Amino acid sequence: RVLAQVGVALSYHSQVRGAADIRAMAILATLPSGKWLIPTEKLLAITPDAYDPVTALTHGATLTYLPAFIRIFFATPGGYNNEAPRVQLAKLLSSDGMFTRLHGAHTNSLESWPFFAAAVLAGLHCKVDSVRLRKISTLWLILRALYIPIYAFQNKKTSGLRSLLFLWSLCLSMNLFREAASKYNREDQ
């Protein structure tokens, strides 16, 4: 319910002020202010510890390439050109259809997954609490699994929710980095 309310507020904000304002908030996720951009503890309280961190990395990689797979096999007008795929991609990206949105979801995932992977590995190395790490990994997967269909079927009313899911998944990764660094620094002293 909270996610829906925030999504509605962000959608309204993106219509009134422009989506660029919301995307610009991503820089805040990388700063210490990132821990206040997501209700992490409330979300973790309702998140199961369903996936171990290493399995979550493989599932994250799957989610990264899922939009590209769907784009290639189900959303490419005229079929996929395996002889010149990048030429075909450049031609088809000028449209504003499902193909373009799936490509955007794939590209965003390519930008998001490496931060998640590095944060999880840092968490494992610095021995962040295993249950907490499992919950953070599971929550990241949930956020990214929601992100893909919302991106693919978005409209002006739902684009803010898509941006929120991206922002929260980035905040989770950055907050996990900060948590691992804090634990590392305490043990180093």
Side-chain angles (χ1 to χ4, degrees), residues 71 75-77 85-104:
R71 181 194 75 211
T76 303
R86 295 192 189 264
V87 172
Q88 182 184 38
L89 179 66
K91 287 179 184 174
L92 292 174
L93 285 178
S94 62
S95 71
D96 188 31
M98 180 66 69
F99 181 92
T100 302
R101 291 190 304 275
L102 286 168
H103 180 72

Side-chain angles (χ1 to χ4, degrees), residues 26-38:
I27 191 68
L28 297 176
T30 64
L31 301 171
S33 57
K35 61 185 169 186
W36 295 291
L37 293 176
I38 176 175

Side-chain angles (χ1 to χ4, degrees), residues 135-153:
K135 286 181 167 231
I136 289 171
S137 298
T138 301
L139 180 57
W140 189 91
L141 289 172
I142 291 168
L143 293 172
R144 295 307 297 184
L146 291 171
Y147 179 88
I148 294 167
I150 287 174
Y151 199 124
F153 297 103

Side-chain angles (χ1 to χ4, degrees), residues 34-86:
K35 61 185 169 186
W36 295 291
L37 293 176
I38 176 175
T40 305
E41 300 312 316
K42 288 182 181 183
L43 291 172
L44 290 180
I46 60 172
T47 301
D49 61 343
Y51 296 101
D52 70 85
V54 176
T55 300
L57 292 177
T58 63
H59 291 328
T62 300
L63 287 174
T64 297
Y65 286 95
L66 180 63
F69 175 83
I70 295 169
R71 181 194 75 211
I72 289 169
F73 293 105
F74 301 107
T76 303
Y80 182 66
N81 179 353
N82 198 39
E83 293 174 3
R86 295 192 189 264

Side-chain angles (χ1 to χ4, degrees), residues 10 50 83 85 168 186:
L10 281 174
E83 293 174 3
W168 280 6
R186 278 192 305 245

